[in-house]
Amino acid sequence: MIPAAFDYVAPTTVDDAVRALAEAGEDAKVLAGGQSLMPVLRMRLAAPTTLVDLGKVAELRGVREDGDVLAIGAMTTHYDVLRDALIAEHAELLAKTTGTVADPQIRHRGTFGGSLAHADPAADLPAAALAMDAEMVIAGPGGRRTVPAAEFFVDFFTTALQPGDILCEVRVPKRTGWYSHYEKFNRVAQAWPIVAVAVTVRVDGGSIAEARVGLANMGAIPVRATGVEQALVGQQATAETIKAAAEHAAEGTSPAADGNADVEYRQHLARVLTGRAVSAAVGA
Ligand SMILES: Cc1cc2nc3c(=O)[nH]c(=O)nc-3n(C[C@H](O)[C@H](O)[C@H](O)COP(=O)(O)OP(=O)(O)OC[C@H]3O[C@@H](n4cnc5c(N)ncnc54)[C@H](O)[C@@H]3O)c2cc1C
């Protein structure tokens, strides 16, 4: 179908984009890579009066070092995340996760920030952002604010972004030298996960010193498997300890039942995939 008519503006700075959104009112929408928004418009599931295209806002693209943090512009494409040397060195989990998103065409258009702002429970990057303790920098009519990933995802397709807000930057603490793995279970014809697990761990002298585990599609929002994290810390990274820790993976989750999997199967997948992901990360 053809989308309903809308006005289109393409500002070149964040300030101008915020102003354009404020002028257009509540029914305006931000356009990033368009990989999720355009299908929604074409199906007429949304009919915004104005699209504010961020494609020309150069300050929203790219990755830079800021002390112990990597600052990733919201409009950085999946493709650019994948080939970025800073991300490869300091945030390997993001590169590994991004490599599983969709296909090359979509990775060239879709953006890191667009995926987080869209907040699809089956998206890959929100779980990885949660496991990386990322923080979101948001610009709105009242200025800029920073929201941790644990508070950014609010519900199905709902984030802390308010009408008029723009996600500008994702700040990711450097995890240099940490081992990481993203394990996802998906239908062969599609890359969207039925369940997926983002794992990053720091190993010190053969023992797991720190662990972060984020689950995708195990609830309305990405979930940290804190039971697994606690069970891993202080343990030798052996097959037995990993298997025992992975048994905690479904604790505190509330996955949906749908045509792909019922609740019990998703919980089973969470345990199995967590075990595989930790083993793959540490090479056990
Ligand atoms: C066929 C297909 C397969 C896919 N497979 C996968 C997959 O396997 N795994 C996966 O995780 N994803 C998948 N995706 C989604 C893809 O990763 C998209 O890139 C992502 O969901 C949205 O990014 P975008 O830049 O295209 O955002 P858009 O589609 O432009 O925007 C999405 C939403 O976020 C809002 N938004 C975007 N950027 C901002 C911002 N900076 N500030 C405020 N609001 C913003 C928009 O207003 C809109 O509501 C797939 C998409 C398609 C079409």
Side-chain angles (χ1 to χ4, degrees):
M1 282 201 325
I2 296 171
F6 51 79
D7 289 332
Y8 173 85
V9 284
T12 54
T13 67
V14 170
D15 288 349
D16 285 350
V18 169
R19 247 189 308 275
L21 281 173
E23 279 166 16
E26 283 222 344
D27 289 332
K29 269 233 164 262
V30 166
L31 174 66
Q35 298 306 293
S36 296
L37 185 56
M38 291 316 293
V40 167
L41 299 190
R42 290 180 77 90
M43 287 186 278
R44 299 213 175 191
L45 296 172
T49 50
T50 305
L51 282 191
V52 177
D53 185 350
L54 300 182
K56 292 186 175 159
V57 185
E59 65 193 283
L60 292 178
R61 285 186 194 273
V63 182
R64 63 185 171 85
E65 261 177 316
D66 185 6
D68 293 339
V69 166
L70 290 187
I72 306 171
M75 287 295 290
T76 308
T77 62
H78 303 317
Y79 175 74
D80 284 337
V81 165
L82 269 177
R83 62 194 191 126
D84 188 87
L86 288 172
I87 289 184
E89 185 178 357
H90 302 296
E92 184 194 42
L93 179 62
L94 290 186
K96 285 191 167 173
T97 305
T98 304
T100 76
V101 170
D103 54 47
Q105 263 179 316
I106 287 157
R107 291 199 292 269
H108 270 84
R109 300 289 312 177
T111 65
F112 186 41
S115 177
L116 301 181
H118 192 56
D120 187 325
D124 294 296
L125 294 166
L130 190 67
M132 290 296 292
D133 294 315
E135 292 186 328
M136 319 301 174
V137 180
I138 298 169
R144 294 204 177 202
R145 64 189 192 280
T146 301
V147 178
E151 293 167 24
F152 180 76
F153 301 105
V154 175
D155 206 342
F156 286 100
F157 299 99
T158 308
T159 67
L161 289 165
Q162 300 297 317
D165 280 347
I166 290 173
L167 175 60
C168 295
E169 188 173 272
V170 184
R171 295 178 63 80
V172 178
K174 285 182 185 171
R175 297 267 173 78
T176 321
W178 287 45
Y179 298 102
S180 305
H181 186 75
Y182 189 68
E183 182 77 21
K184 106 171 159 181
F185 190 77
N186 57 286
R187 287 196 286 159
V188 174
Q190 284 187 3
W192 292 103
I194 295 172
V195 172
V197 185
V199 167
T200 182
V201 295
R202 184 169 67 82
V203 177
D204 191 2
S207 294
I208 296 178
E210 291 183 78
R212 304 282 188 282
V213 181
L215 303 175
N217 224 359
M218 286 298 288
I221 57 176
V223 188
R224 276 275 287 271
T226 50
V228 178
E229 294 173 358
Q230 286 161 8
L232 286 173
V233 169
Q235 302 293 326
Q236 295 287 313
T238 64
E240 292 71 33
T241 55
I242 292 168
K243 189 168 187 300
E247 285 302 308
H248 297 280
E251 289 170 4
T253 62
S254 48
D258 58 23
N260 288 317
D262 62 18
V263 170
E264 289 72 25
Y265 184 51
R266 277 203 161 84
Q267 291 172 332
H268 167 75
L269 280 176
R271 290 186 285 267
V272 171
L273 299 177
T274 298
R276 285 184 195 164
V278 179
S279 297
V282 299

